[in-house]
Amino acid sequence: MRKLLAVLCCAFVTTIAVTAPVSAAPGGAVPGLTGAAAKAAAGPMAEKFRQLRQADSLAQRHTFWGPEPQLSSGADGVVVTQSITPGLRISNTSDVVYAPTMKPTGHSCIEVVTAYGLGEAAQVWAWDWCRSVSPAKVVPIDSAFLATYTSTVNGHPAYTVQEVRTGSSGNSWTASLRNVNTGAWDTLFSQSGSDQSSLNEGWDIFELYSTRNPATGSAYYCSDARGAVFESSSLQLRIGGRWVDASPSNSPLRPTANPRPADYDCSTLRFDVPSPNSTWRVTV
């Protein structure tokens, strides 16, 4: 979502994330809402996505943190496992948490987002950067999604997403989710065209729009998400046809390698990078 600003501005068992995406067979389609129904389902969370940087209220903070794959890496695809917190609801009408949210480098057409907003159940979006510049597909994180696309990774549910350039002519990209029941990659969304983000780098980040609660001095999400873990693990880039772990050289942490919780209006935040820079974790 940060990048849109540049344009318009069951016992738990730890499982291992998929690290060999090329071996999985193609599958079906991920069920979800498209077109006008997708935009309606995303609601105010998508509108926040569209705001110009200049229009941001001084009372609201827009912050992010995480690795940004660089254009110089030559990557034409990403695979990563993203945590979810299905029960999280944000209590302030203006606030949104996008975490994790991923877009490959190479002027990809699709950003795959995990979004949390006011009274909204958690959703996975395919954001179209090359045509509509809007949520082209919205998938509710409900019981069916959990049963089909998530496994338990490091103690919390997570889904694995892959996005690759499928054709250099026309700049075609396809994002897919790993179906844990079939082992196949189910297509989330495909698009081609010119990337309207106007940014060279990709990203896989923790991002939010937050408002400070005057009663506590912390952002509302800080109490809403107490105990939550936002984690991105096993981030790999496809470089020269091979899958390579994200590293400090090809995917530096932005805006800083050592973020301060105070800059996110939440003194209890903890930032960890268990595997530089292929796994990151933000704990509230």
Side-chain angles (χ1 to χ4, degrees), residues 47-210:
E47 291 305 314
K48 180 64 64 178
F49 216 76
R50 292 185 176 90
Q51 289 187 2
L52 292 169
R53 186 181 299 273
Q54 293 86 345
D56 285 346
S57 167
L58 294 177
Q60 190 173 49
R61 191 187 290 266
H62 170 230
T63 47
F64 65 94
W65 177 75
E68 292 191 347
Q70 298 297 291
L71 184 64
S72 59
S73 69
D76 65 354
V78 161
V79 64
V80 64
T81 296
Q82 312 287 51
S83 73
I84 55 175
T85 305
L88 177 59
R89 302 291 188 274
I90 306 302
S91 62
N92 191 62
T93 56
S94 298
D95 296 1
V96 190
V97 175
Y98 307 111
T101 179
M102 177 277 286
K103 180 179 183 289
T105 189
H107 293 288
S108 65
C109 282
I110 307 164
E111 181 170 2
V112 179
V113 189
T114 311
Y116 306 88
L118 176 71
E120 301 262 9
Q123 299 172 345
V124 171
W125 298 351
W127 185 277
D128 178 3
W129 275 105
C130 287
R131 302 282 181 173
S132 66
V133 190
S134 69
K137 191 166 192 176
V138 170
V139 182
I141 297 178
D142 54 16
S143 59
F145 181 91
L146 293 171
T148 306
Y149 296 108
T150 71
S151 57
T152 302
V153 179
N154 298 329
H156 40 257
Y159 66 91
T160 298
V161 55
Q162 173 185 270
E163 184 180 343
V164 294
R165 181 187 288 126
T166 51
S168 55
S169 176
N171 192 39
S172 300
W173 294 79
T174 294
S176 305
L177 302 186
R178 173 87 172 189
N179 187 316
V180 298
N181 299 316
T182 66
W185 290 103
D186 290 351
T187 300
L188 177 64
F189 183 62
S190 295
Q191 189 56 284
S192 61
S194 178
D195 174 21
Q196 298 181 51
S197 75
S198 301
L199 292 161
N200 288 328
E201 69 272 16
W203 54 90
D204 180 53
I205 57 177
F206 169 79
E207 181 176 26
L208 52 90
Y209 280 93
S210 62

